[in-house]
Amino acid sequence: MTRKGSRVDPGRITTRLKTSLWGLATRYPITTQRCAMTNTANLDKILDKAFEQYALDKLPTAPVSALAGVSDADAEALAKAFNIKTIGDLGRNKYLRAAVAIVNLVDASK
């Protein structure tokens, strides 16, 4: 806090800031090591039998009907209403993401 009419020394503020940042940097160093992660998941319960053996990176290109419980009629309705044809389209749909975000916020506030 400064008095009325007094000048703030920018050098002093910069020194304090650098000292604070240096303290944080030494206590919480940033590492740049890369680590390989193996993605494994049992998706049998959420996929139709025909798609259970699909590689994880190929699933976004699978039709929405590959999801267990989504019929061909459901897939056609999604395609007609929202132009959703694949699992990737469904997962990236802005309306779906908005709905999920709202529900998560409400659930987190309980």
Side-chain angles (χ1 to χ4, degrees):
M1 199 155 192
T2 61
R3 294 184 190 167
K4 189 175 181 181
S6 66
R7 298 183 75 203
V8 176
D9 180 11
R12 185 173 174 203
I13 292 173
T14 304
T15 302
R16 281 187 176 179
L17 181 60
K18 284 180 182 177
T19 304
S20 298
L21 291 175
W22 178 254
L24 286 173
T26 54
R27 272 185 262 150
Y28 306 104
I30 298 172
T31 59
T32 57
Q33 293 176 333
R34 291 181 180 246
C35 60
M37 293 181 70
T38 304
N39 293 324
T40 59
N42 185 354
L43 303 175
D44 294 352
K45 298 211 185 270
I46 62 172
L47 294 173
D48 280 345
K49 291 280 184 202
F51 294 92
E52 287 178 358
Q53 299 305 316
Y54 260 48
L56 185 60
D57 63 330
K58 301 294 183 204
L59 283 174
T61 61
V64 179
S65 59
L67 295 170
V70 179
S71 68
D72 289 334
D74 295 334
E76 287 176 24
L78 285 169
K80 184 177 178 183
F82 298 105
N83 196 31
I84 294 172
K85 297 174 185 155
T86 66
I87 293 174
D89 293 340
L90 181 64
R92 294 180 188 102
N93 182 271
K94 66 181 179 180
Y95 302 112
L96 178 80
R97 286 183 173 204
V100 169
I102 290 168
V103 170
N104 287 340
L105 286 170
V106 170
D107 289 349
S109 69
K110 291 181 182 179

